[in-house]
Amino acid sequence: MSFPPEEYRLPFFKEAGFVRKRCPKCGQYFWTQNHKQETCGEARPEGCAPYTFIGNPPTHKKHTLREMREAFLSFFEKRGHMRIKPYPVVARWRDDIYLTHASIIDFQPYVTEGIAPPPANPLVIAQPCIRLVDIANTGPTFGKYFTLFEMGGHHAFNYPDKEVYWKDQTTRYHHEFVTEDLGVKSDEVTYKEEVWSGGGNAGPCVECIIRGLEVATLVFMQYKVVNNELVKLPIRTVDTGYGIDRYAWLSQGAPSGFHAIYGSLLDKIFEMAGIGKIDKDLLVKVAKVSGIVSLDKTVSRLEARKKIADLVNVKTDVLDKFLSPIENVFAVADHTKCLSFILSEGVVPSNIQEGYLARLLYRRIYRLLRMLGIPERLYDIVDMQVDLWSKDYPHLKKMRNEIMEMLKVEEEKFQETIKRGEGLVKRISNELKVKNVEEIPTEIVSELYDSHGLPPEIVEEFAEKESLKVDVPENFYALIAQRHMQAAKPVEEEVKPEEWLNSAVSDLPATVLLYYKDQYVKEFEAKVQKVIDDEYLVLDQTYFYPEGGGQPADTGYFTFNKKKLEVVDVRKVGRVVVHKIKGLAALKKGSTVRCGIDWDKRYSLMKNHTVTHLVNGAARRVLGEHVWQFGTQKGTESSRLDISHYRRLTPDEVHQIEVLANQAILQNMQVETAWMPRSEAESRYGFRLYQGGAVPGKEIRVVKTGDWDVEACAGTHLKSTGEIGFIKIIHSEKVQDGVERLVYSVGIPALKAVQEREQLLWKVSEILNAPLDKLDKTAEKLVKELKEANAEKRKLVKELATREGAGLGAKAFEAVEEINGIKLLKRDFREEIDVNRMVQTANEIIKRDEATVAIFYGTDGNNARIMVMAGKTATEKGVNAGDIVSEASAIIGGGGGGKPNFAQGGGTKVKKLSEAVKKAEEILRKQLR
């Protein structure tokens, strides 16, 4: 993709004496006032230029990050831009990405495509952004890349009938800001021609470079990318990205961007890691050429090191020893800030969606801290991050305890992962050794990380014990992040209409959605718009709710010519509502039908949907602000709500949620619904609106339940919570890592659930012959007695097994036979299949003679069982108990298996047990040939 030179020939460049040149190093065109300038002046891998601002800042004063942010915002505010509060770093209003990686993300696609108006025009914003694809470059590039950074965006949205400003004025604004407000000399500012594409949009852009550092990108978004073709947008958008962190670094001339941004916090991490006095001269030399480093598929870490070592005239191994711990500290400072921001917005580390990215960050931080020898200092560092940044982002302080708790739980989970990991790697190593493979390939390393959460560094440690190498790309974490950044988000389960149905209604006007005007209407009249295949009916208006947002479709009936037709399903197809009819009569366009809704079902679903909002609000109050709705499904008998949470819910927490939800019902709060412009709703209620995920459209329907809960929701609801009556949480379970499910019933079904449990208690009370108020004590006593009885039984079984095992030639054994130096013992346990006794007896036999194989079997009349145990000498000679049992148990109609030294199986074909035993002997003989 490229644009003609005319796109970049701005009046400003001509007036200010800029000339267009081509860089001989990178081949890109640029504009400069310095006619002697030969290259584009950017520090990049092609070696166009070094950083010349380090130790020599071009600005008239030094700025902290906070000061630079305010300077940027104030500059544009004075020039007619409205200051907008930053959006969250978790992009819950988008259905295509998880994290906010640019300020324009806040306004795509609704504003940029003309669906909704912007919150202001023009506007200015300082947006925290996260780009995990840069994770490998974070430390080595000294601050050119951060995983979390602040992007200053001044945006103007130019409509066909309203021009705000475009390319020329955008460039003038930038030049004025850097030269007049910051004090940079005009001839030190270079503008490089570029092409920008992202978020489905594209356009020409210019990158702004000062003393080697790219500090801003001015994008002129005017196209939509459709099938790799550029389609003109109705709105031309000024999309600027000022690197606030980079400007602060530029103004301070610090050795790295991390020094400029983190200051004393960085010093404390160095101190924790025991990194004392640093050779500042060497650090500055390296910093000046650090812009040439970019770890990607074509440049390895070692190659980058060698390149820098040559430039600063130091041996590569000496430089590596000097830089590695410093870069690790840089990355720790960056990553812990990034993780703090993600966790503060309620992302629970897990193996899915944005939780996956949080876990990726945590495990990379753990690796870095281990390399520095301070893994236990994570909590101290995160605590410092919260203190430092909560001055600008107060929610960090509010979420401090939850952040720490999530870190603690994630640490526990990670330790469990490491314990399991050693066995996984050992098994994989054994499989590879059989194939004479000496290296664990990248695909398996990625699978171990994706499916089991095992980082490559841990895999390498375990593989080293097995004398295997591991193939791990240096940018492993960046590749993993890239794969998961754009993953599609799950949305509420909705029935998607078949393509032919879409086509059948494409020419129809939008159905009037009466169910939004009054959700209590039970009967109405409407005119037929179209009959499709004598099965589907489209009306001009409807009160029938189509399935969506986890709420099932309404059902009911149509009456026409005194004939009643059953409505079995309702779907939304684009702007049209389609009713599926059972036994469709001779209806035609223009016919008037009388419609009736199954009110009991509708009213029950209204109750359940309103309760879902109450339970969600209650869960947030009990568990914390990290709770977000992950999924929901409403029903008439019971409904479910899946929420994000880092631990299994305790019974006490479930009861607290239940009590709060019922208290909310008793408050009889009004449930208000209103259609609002998207930006107004977000401004008034924040991004908690998007509990159910992204909501399309210019306007969104807001459902407000008193002061309890506010959500963007398209479902049907009650007028007040008092109509609900009663809620009972009947079940909770872990759905997947980081997601808990609550199942609940409302009204009469809730009462039924309580009564069913009461009946169960009464039945148990009757069985145990104990009153309800003493049931727990009675159960405890019985369990204690049972444990004691089982312990006594195990003791007796062991004594019996010891006596039986001691008499190898005793009558207890059916046969004692020697096969190629291995003793075979068989025993039929007849009608007493006591697995524990079988195992204990076999163990005693094997203890006394490792050159023994025991085949034990038996039946209780309904089931048959076979067990094989082999001593070490027997397995060394080729005996495999797992193979024997696997084949033998198939004969008795079941399954089984195990390890070479022990296996067991069973089945229901009792009469074939003797045949199975013969098969077992036959296989054993083959193994010992």
Side-chain angles (χ1 to χ4, degrees):
M1 187 189 298
S2 62
F3 295 100
E6 289 71 28
E7 289 281 0
Y8 304 94
R9 295 189 191 281
L10 307 179
F12 166 70
F13 288 155
K14 185 176 181 180
E15 291 172 20
F18 279 81
V19 292
R20 185 175 188 252
K21 293 188 172 188
R22 187 174 188 181
C23 179
K25 298 275 189 178
C26 65
Q28 291 181 278
Y29 289 96
F30 63 95
W31 294 81
T32 177
Q33 286 178 316
N34 182 354
H35 293 207
K36 294 180 180 179
Q37 184 176 327
E38 294 181 0
T39 71
C40 66
E42 183 183 5
R44 49 185 292 140
E46 291 88 345
C48 303
Y51 291 141
T52 56
F53 68 91
I54 292 174
N56 183 29
T59 56
H60 57 62
K61 62 170 284 192
K62 295 181 179 181
H63 291 74
T64 62
L65 180 65
R66 183 179 294 112
E67 290 167 344
M68 187 58 75
R69 181 195 308 123
E70 184 55 39
F72 168 78
L73 292 170
S74 297
F75 175 86
F76 285 98
E77 204 170 24
K78 289 173 187 173
R79 287 155 182 80
H81 294 65
M82 181 180 284
R83 186 185 297 212
I84 302 296
K85 288 182 179 179
Y87 280 45
V89 295
V90 182
R92 290 186 169 95
W93 64 95
R94 296 283 297 261
D95 62 4
D96 55 341
I97 56 173
Y98 295 129
L99 302 174
T100 306
H101 58 260
S103 60
I104 196 63
I105 292 298
D106 304 345
F107 314 109
Q108 286 177 321
Y110 306 110
V111 175
T112 56
E113 293 186 14
I115 298 167
N121 195 14
L123 61 83
V124 64
I125 187 171
Q127 175 64 48
C129 298
I130 294 177
R131 289 186 186 171
L132 296 183
V133 292
D134 294 327
I135 198 166
N137 280 315
T138 302
T141 54
F142 273 56
K144 182 178 182 180
Y145 296 104
F146 298 98
T147 60
L148 187 143
F149 59 95
E150 291 192 31
M151 180 179 286
H154 65 92
H155 300 289
F157 305 94
N158 297 288
Y159 296 84
D161 59 345
K162 184 187 177 184
E163 181 86 3
V164 183
Y165 61 82
W166 191 227
K167 291 186 285 188
D168 191 65
Q169 185 58 53
T170 301
T171 311
R172 290 176 190 271
Y173 276 145
H174 175 268
H175 209 74
E176 184 182 354
F177 174 67
V178 296
T179 57
E180 296 186 17
D181 275 40
L182 300 186
V184 178
K185 291 179 181 177
S186 182
D187 62 0
E188 289 201 80
V189 186
T190 301
Y191 295 94
K192 189 168 69 170
E193 296 178 8
E194 263 290 2
V195 173
W196 181 89
S197 179
N201 300 133
C205 75
V206 291
E207 294 176 350
C208 314
I209 300 152
I210 301 172
R211 294 196 182 179
L213 184 64
E214 180 198 336
V215 288
T217 304
L218 314 179
V219 178
F220 308 107
M221 190 191 299
Q222 52 190 312
Y223 299 101
K224 185 175 182 177
V225 182
V226 181
N227 298 323
N228 293 321
E229 296 290 326
L230 295 179
V231 179
K232 278 265 188 183
L233 286 166
I235 299 172
R236 291 172 299 123
T237 302
V238 171
D239 169 23
T240 64
Y242 285 53
I244 305 298
D245 305 74
R246 291 188 186 183
Y247 274 112
W249 182 19
L250 181 80
S251 76
Q252 293 180 34
S256 78
F258 302 96
H259 288 84
I261 304 307
Y262 295 97
S264 61
L265 188 149
L266 187 74
D267 295 336
K268 287 174 185 173
I269 301 175
F270 275 124
E271 188 180 327
M272 289 176 185
I275 299 173
K277 191 175 180 182
I278 295 172
D279 185 336
K280 289 186 179 178
D281 290 338
L282 179 56
L283 188 66
V284 167
K285 284 181 182 177
V286 173
K288 288 179 178 179
V289 295
S290 62
I292 68 169
V293 179
S294 180
L295 303 182
D296 54 29
K297 292 178 181 177
T298 59
V299 181
S300 71
R301 180 177 173 277
L302 182 60
E303 288 172 327
R305 265 299 186 264
K306 284 179 178 177
K307 195 172 181 181
I308 290 177
D310 290 342
L311 290 170
V312 298
N313 196 26
V314 174
K315 288 183 178 179
T316 304
D317 59 339
V318 173
L319 184 65
D320 192 59
K321 188 177 179 181
F322 171 71
L323 280 183
S324 289
I326 294 173
E327 290 173 351
N328 289 345
V329 170
F330 288 168
V332 165
D334 168 85
H335 295 358
T336 50
K337 177 185 178 183
C338 186
L339 183 59
S340 299
F341 270 69
I342 291 177
L343 297 182
S344 74
E345 292 190 7
V347 174
V348 175
S350 67
N351 53 13
I352 50 168
Q353 300 178 34
E354 56 264 39
Y356 182 98
L357 300 172
R359 175 162 288 171
L360 181 148
L361 263 175
Y362 173 86
R363 297 193 174 180
R364 181 166 164 83
I365 292 167
Y366 175 83
R367 167 195 176 242
L368 293 166
L369 290 174
R370 274 187 81 200
M371 291 169 73
L372 291 168
I374 52 169
E376 74 285 352
R377 302 308 295 267
L378 171 63
Y379 299 95
D380 297 325
I381 296 168
V382 170
D383 202 46
M384 291 191 297
Q385 296 281 16
V386 171
D387 279 340
L388 178 60
W389 303 111
S390 59
K391 298 177 183 71
D392 303 307
Y393 303 97
H395 68 280
L396 284 164
K397 191 172 184 179
K398 183 180 177 184
M399 290 290 289
R400 184 197 299 265
N401 292 340
E402 289 182 53
I403 291 170
M404 294 302 176
E405 183 65 17
M406 282 192 271
L407 287 175
K408 182 181 176 184
V409 172
E410 186 59 16
E411 182 182 18
E412 292 168 1
K413 289 179 179 179
F414 189 38
Q415 294 307 321
E416 290 171 10
T417 296
I418 292 173
K419 285 177 186 175
R420 291 194 308 270
E422 186 163 15
L424 275 170
V425 174
K426 190 165 187 174
R427 178 174 59 77
I428 290 166
S429 299
N430 290 336
E431 290 171 359
L432 292 175
K433 285 175 183 176
V434 170
K435 299 174 185 176
N436 293 318
V437 177
E438 297 180 351
E439 183 177 73
I440 300 178
T442 302
E443 310 85 73
I444 292 179
V445 177
S446 295
E447 173 65 21
L448 284 169
Y449 187 85
D450 273 343
S451 301
H452 304 282
L454 204 61
E457 302 80 28
I458 303 297
V459 175
E460 284 177 320
E461 285 182 24
F462 294 148
E464 190 177 345
K465 295 177 184 177
E466 303 297 323
S467 302
L468 278 182
K469 294 178 182 178
V470 180
D471 182 18
V472 184
E474 288 183 345
N475 59 343
F476 176 83
Y477 287 99
L479 292 172
I480 292 288
Q482 179 69 54
R483 200 162 69 221
H484 288 269
M485 289 291 282
Q486 297 294 128
K489 297 182 182 180
V491 293
E492 300 295 352
E493 296 173 13
E494 293 186 13
V495 178
K496 293 187 177 179
E498 294 89 346
E499 203 171 308
W500 69 268
L501 199 53
N502 250 317
S503 188
V505 301
S506 61
D507 59 338
L508 297 179
T511 307
V512 179
L513 308 179
L514 296 174
Y515 51 79
Y516 284 142
K517 294 182 179 179
D518 188 347
Q519 292 158 81
Y520 287 78
V521 170
K522 302 171 187 176
E523 294 184 333
F524 65 99
E525 287 188 349
K527 286 187 177 180
V528 176
Q529 293 285 83
K530 190 171 185 178
V531 179
I532 306 167
D533 287 358
D534 290 332
E535 187 180 14
Y536 295 96
L537 200 65
V538 178
L539 305 175
D540 62 337
Q541 58 182 9
T542 189
Y543 279 98
F544 279 91
Y545 182 81
E547 180 170 359
Q551 180 174 325
D554 283 334
T555 53
Y557 63 88
F558 289 165
T559 303
F560 177 73
N561 285 343
K562 297 182 181 180
K563 186 174 181 180
K564 207 169 189 178
L565 311 172
E566 188 182 355
V567 179
V568 295
D569 192 19
V570 186
R571 302 183 191 179
K572 186 97 181 292
V573 184
R575 302 181 306 149
V576 175
V577 176
V578 179
H579 309 75
K580 187 176 183 180
I581 312 299
K582 188 176 180 182
L584 191 58
L587 288 166
K588 59 183 180 180
K589 183 176 180 180
S591 299
T592 298
V593 291
R594 184 77 185 164
C595 312
I597 292 170
D598 180 342
W599 177 246
D600 288 342
K601 179 183 177 183
R602 158 69 81 82
Y603 195 48
S604 177
L605 289 170
M606 286 166 65
K607 286 182 179 181
N608 277 272
H609 204 143
T610 301
V611 161
T612 299
H613 290 216
L614 298 184
V615 172
N616 194 27
R620 192 161 59 248
R621 286 163 173 80
V622 172
L623 304 173
E625 290 295 314
H626 65 274
V627 170
W628 283 77
Q629 177 180 307
F630 189 82
T632 178
Q633 184 63 46
K634 293 85 180 176
T636 53
E637 293 300 311
S638 68
S639 296
R640 65 169 170 79
L641 171 69
D642 297 342
I643 56 172
S644 56
H645 188 51
Y646 45 81
R647 285 192 193 277
R648 282 292 292 115
L649 291 173
T650 66
D652 184 55
E653 287 169 339
V654 172
H655 287 155
Q656 287 182 57
I657 293 168
E658 185 178 76
V659 168
L660 276 182
N662 277 292
Q663 286 176 349
I665 291 169
L666 292 172
Q667 290 177 37
N668 196 25
M669 293 180 284
Q670 294 300 300
V671 181
E672 303 167 285
T673 60
W675 287 93
M676 300 176 68
R678 174 179 294 276
S679 57
E680 182 187 335
E682 291 173 349
S683 175
R684 187 181 296 186
Y685 299 116
F687 293 88
R688 276 280 175 193
L689 281 169
Y690 302 115
Q691 285 292 324
V695 179
K698 178 180 180 179
E699 293 187 330
I700 57 178
R701 184 170 178 260
V702 176
V703 177
K704 184 175 183 292
T705 310
D707 294 326
W708 192 261
D709 183 76
V710 183
E711 294 183 31
C713 179
T716 58
H717 288 274
L718 303 169
K719 289 180 179 177
S720 65
T721 61
E723 295 180 57
I724 295 166
F726 168 59
I727 173 182
K728 176 63 186 171
I729 297 177
I730 57 178
H731 177 63
S732 77
E733 64 178 306
K734 175 183 176 181
V735 180
Q736 55 194 43
D737 194 20
V739 181
E740 294 288 308
R741 173 168 292 171
L742 291 165
V743 182
Y744 42 90
S745 292
V746 177
I748 296 300
L751 181 60
K752 285 179 183 176
V754 172
Q755 290 174 338
E756 284 171 5
R757 294 190 177 193
E758 278 185 343
Q759 287 175 344
L760 186 61
L761 282 172
W762 289 336
K763 190 173 181 181
V764 173
S765 172
E766 201 175 298
I767 292 168
L768 299 182
N769 193 25
L772 284 176
D773 60 344
K774 293 183 179 178
L775 203 55
D776 56 339
K777 299 294 181 185
T778 304
E780 283 176 9
K781 182 184 175 185
L782 286 171
V783 170
K784 183 182 177 185
E785 289 173 355
L786 182 62
K787 284 180 179 177
E788 289 171 352
N790 283 334
E792 183 64 23
K793 180 184 175 184
R794 285 193 296 272
K795 181 182 174 185
L796 292 171
V797 166
K798 188 170 183 179
E799 288 175 2
L800 181 60
T802 302
R803 286 200 297 272
E804 290 178 337
L808 297 186
K811 291 181 181 180
F813 296 97
E814 183 183 312
V816 179
E817 179 184 353
E818 188 171 302
I819 306 169
N820 195 17
I822 298 298
K823 196 175 291 178
L824 165 64
L825 273 72
K826 292 192 300 178
R827 175 171 176 184
D828 184 353
F829 276 72
R830 304 186 190 284
E831 296 181 4
E832 45 175 329
I833 304 181
D834 186 332
V835 176
N836 189 35
R837 183 180 169 192
M838 292 167 77
V839 173
Q840 290 275 16
T841 303
N843 266 327
E844 291 298 326
I845 293 168
I846 301 300
K847 270 186 197 175
R848 288 171 169 76
D849 189 349
E850 292 281 358
T852 302
V853 174
I855 299 178
F856 291 171
Y857 49 96
T859 172
D860 60 4
N862 296 315
N863 297 287
R865 192 157 198 86
I866 185 166
M867 187 201 83
V868 178
M869 187 177 286
K872 187 178 179 183
T873 307
T875 57
E876 286 173 350
K877 284 198 171 188
V879 174
N880 189 315
D883 291 346
I884 295 170
V885 169
S886 182
E887 287 194 48
S889 57
I891 295 171
I892 53 177
K899 297 179 180 179
N901 64 327
F902 176 73
Q904 57 181 326
T908 56
K909 295 180 180 179
V910 176
K911 292 180 179 178
K912 291 200 171 189
L913 181 58
S914 58
E915 184 185 335
V917 174
K918 285 179 183 177
K919 184 67 175 177
E921 286 185 64
E922 181 186 317
I923 298 167
L924 177 64
R925 292 178 193 281
K926 284 181 181 178
Q927 290 178 346
L928 288 172
R929 279 178 187 168

